[in-house]
Amino acid sequence: MPLELRTARVGDVARISQLHADLWRVSHATVFDEDFIEDPLEEAMVAHWQGLLRGRKRPGQVIVALTGHQLEGFVSASLQGSTAQVDHLEVREKMRGRGIGRSLLGLLAQRLRNEGARAATLAVPAGLEDLPRFAKRFGGVLGPVVTRERLGHPMPERTIAWADINRLIGACAG
Ligand SMILES: CC(C)(COP(=O)(O)OP(=O)(O)OC[C@H]1O[C@@H](n2cnc3c(N)ncnc32)[C@H](O)[C@@H]1OP(=O)(O)O)[C@@H](O)C(=O)NCCC(=O)NCCS
């Protein structure tokens, strides 16, 4: 089945929340406590994505990747001044390494460039394996560890920054 990339809709909230919660249960097991990681995590995800897709308080984009009705990945960003701030980039585990992450990030960056973005940032969990290689692959500059609040919990993150969004778009294409 071919991969489809399209703008997320309110009707995607349930599947995005479920995939996001499933992935974070594994990748954020050491960040969240055990009680939160079960039901409250999924509820928090639904509230987060509903707020984003229903409210659209801030300009930005959410793009989903699907094969048929199955959600394979998603990316979300907001536009802060002339910077595209990418908050989430996630691909279903068994679909990784096939270029889906790169396609999502590239399309998102192009769209935000059309809305006026000149620079870009991507927030990544500080513990992500091989982060320097990931940043280098996409031509970004890796920043120091900072603690941000995610779903009401403190989370150590690093930021990959591109002073010129065209650098990111070019790296995603190649
Ligand atoms: C990071 C992630 C989105 C990449 O998605 P993907 O579909 O597997 O990525 P792609 O197949 O498009 O790979 C793009 C490039 O990034 C590189 N890459 C992917 N994951 C990497 C990692 N963890 N470390 C280093 N490099 C990585 C690939 O080698 C590839 O390079 P190439 O094109 O030169 O071969 C995916 O691994 C994921 O969902 N991880 C968990 C969530 C996460 O860490 N998100 C990061 C931002 S919040």
Side-chain angles (χ1 to χ4, degrees):
M1 213 173 275
L3 188 76
E4 178 199 3
L5 263 55
R6 64 157 170 80
T7 303
R9 308 170 185 138
V10 174
D12 295 316
V13 164
R15 54 182 149 194
I16 298 176
S17 305
Q18 193 181 7
L19 178 60
H20 203 176
D22 286 349
L23 292 173
W24 275 30
R25 274 189 192 108
V26 178
S27 63
H28 291 63
T30 56
V31 177
F32 297 131
D33 52 54
E34 236 173 85
D35 292 341
F36 181 74
I37 223 139
E38 293 306 322
D39 297 342
L41 173 62
E42 192 143 346
E43 283 165 26
M45 287 297 189
V46 170
H48 172 78
W49 288 104
Q50 255 174 4
L52 212 58
L53 292 173
R54 279 215 180 121
R56 289 259 55 104
K57 291 185 202 98
R58 303 177 299 170
Q61 292 276 345
V62 182
I63 300 172
V64 289
L66 301 135
T67 47
H69 293 294
Q70 166 132 304
L71 180 68
E72 309 294 11
F74 54 88
V75 65
S76 75
S78 60
L79 190 56
Q80 304 287 336
S82 61
T83 301
Q85 291 189 349
V86 185
D87 299 314
H88 298 294
L89 170 66
E90 303 274 352
V91 171
R92 185 183 294 281
E93 202 152 11
K94 72 172 176 36
M95 296 300 283
R96 289 179 191 166
R98 304 177 188 204
I100 297 176
R102 191 172 56 215
S103 303
L104 282 167
L105 197 53
L107 180 59
L108 179 93
Q110 282 176 41
R111 286 189 175 182
L112 287 173
R113 181 180 61 185
N114 293 344
E115 290 181 16
R118 296 286 163 263
T121 60
L122 169 64
V124 286
L128 182 70
E129 208 183 316
D130 222 353
L131 208 39
R133 186 171 70 84
F134 184 74
K136 197 170 167 214
R137 163 64 184 83
F138 289 97
V141 176
L142 188 59
V145 177
V146 285
T147 300
R148 294 203 180 86
E149 196 190 284
R150 297 284 183 202
L151 305 178
H153 289 68
M155 192 174 298
E157 290 187 346
R158 296 177 78 175
T159 299
I160 303 175
W162 293 265
D164 182 352
I165 198 168
N166 290 310
R167 183 95 202 265
L168 172 60
I169 293 168
C172 289

